[in-house]
Amino acid sequence: MIISASTDYRVAAQRRLPPFLFHYIDGGAYAEHTLRRNVSDLSDIALRQRVLRNMSALSLETRLFNETLSMPVVLAPIGLCGMFARRGEAQAAKAAADKGIPFTLSTVSVCPIEEVAPAIQRPMWFQLYVLKDRGFMKNALERAKSAGVTTLVFTVDMPVPGARYRDAHSGMSGPNAPLRRILQACTHPRWAMDVGLLGRPHDLGNISTYRGHPTGLADYIGWLGANFDPSISWKDLEWIREFWDGPMVIKGILDPQDAKDAVSFGANGIVVSNHGGRQLDGVLSSARAMPAIADAVKGQLAILADSGIRTGLDVVRMIALGADTVMLGRAFVYALAAAGGAGVSNLLDLIEKEMRVAMVLTGAKSISEINGDSLVRELKHA
Ligand code: FNR
């Protein structure tokens, strides 16, 4: 068991949420080997302690796509955040903006683009899946543009949904899902009131706006299931480029050749990611995939990374392995589910403090000074 702020928030989230929602957040694909390895491979990496180097002036600031970030952290796109806390996406986005870092709104958010973007003081990022319904994609891109979204995160590791057995057991997916969900929600009245689920239909903001009517969970799961597109290829990204001229980041890269192809395509960035172990169980953890990818493309585009990052020390480790910036997934979601926007703010403050301690004691005065030398050499490839 790793002790960290996110593990505390995880326990609190489990107490608060109905089981089907907690397991939707917490679970991964199949036997969850990759999910566990994401966390354990990172925490196994030994940081190299250095001392007596006058570390009084420290800067965590970094630049990415013409934005200044107070630290090299972005909140990852997470579907259904508005079911974990009332207007959850807006709360998390505000916490991120207050901290000076970007928030990425998921395609399948509860709060629509038009609600979240104006609620924060900095430009938002937006994540898009490749879906069969190209009308939806075009519409979402136009709406993102007019809401002032700066960066598009294009998630490519979901041409098919991964098999998530916890969701099947809990009633989040499967034939009896809607009935079981209602029964479970009724056993947690405090949660149901808090997310505003009682007394009004639940709405999947971006999708409902496009379809012109409220989209409840069961309807949404059906629509999304029918819309995954296994035919997706680099050609589809060319199509997107016609509608999007801002920075474009490809999320779900785990192989150096795919990273090189992203460079050839002209992507501005990649996210080294296995979707938090939620897609293909048995693939490499992001920490293990990172060194070869960094060798292949470092400096040619921005390298972001997620999957398994739970602490500020993990942020430093992932940057030392080759990432420029990281994304936080479950770490912030547990905090949001446990304590709303205040929980996310607190978690981000703790991540920053942990990063500061790690930087002082590895002798890195700035983010660009975190590199392979920050790790004990024989262990740095996990
Ligand atoms: C996700 N992830 C995800 N990714 C994406 O591109 N669009 C999405 O809508 C979602 N939704 C989503 C929901 C939940 C509950 C989780 C946990 C994850 C993947 C996410 O962006 C990120 O890649 C992982 O969460 C990173 O792994 P860790 O940090 O959670 O281990």
Side-chain angles (χ1 to χ4, degrees), residues 24-27 35 38-39 76-80 84 106-109 127-129 153-155 157-158 164 251 271 273-278 306-310 327-331 333:
Y24 166 67
I25 297 169
D26 198 57
L35 170 65
N38 280 338
V39 175
I78 301 286
L80 305 182
F84 317 146
S106 161
T107 305
V108 291
S109 56
Q127 174 263 327
L128 199 58
Y129 281 120
V153 176
F154 206 65
T155 301
D157 59 2
M158 210 152 173
R164 302 183 193 155
K251 177 171 179 282
V271 186
S273 170
N274 52 40
H275 217 101
R278 297 163 77 81
D306 72 19
S307 300
I309 297 165
R310 299 287 179 270
M327 280 187 155
L328 292 184
R330 292 181 185 82
V333 183

Side-chain angles (χ1 to χ4, degrees), residues 358-381:
M359 287 171 71
V360 167
L361 281 165
T362 56
K365 292 195 176 81
S366 65
I367 300 305
S368 60
E369 287 183 19
I370 303 174
N371 54 39
D373 289 341
S374 313
L375 305 177
V376 177
R377 201 161 293 278
E378 61 273 25
L379 297 178
K380 79 180 147 190
H381 286 261

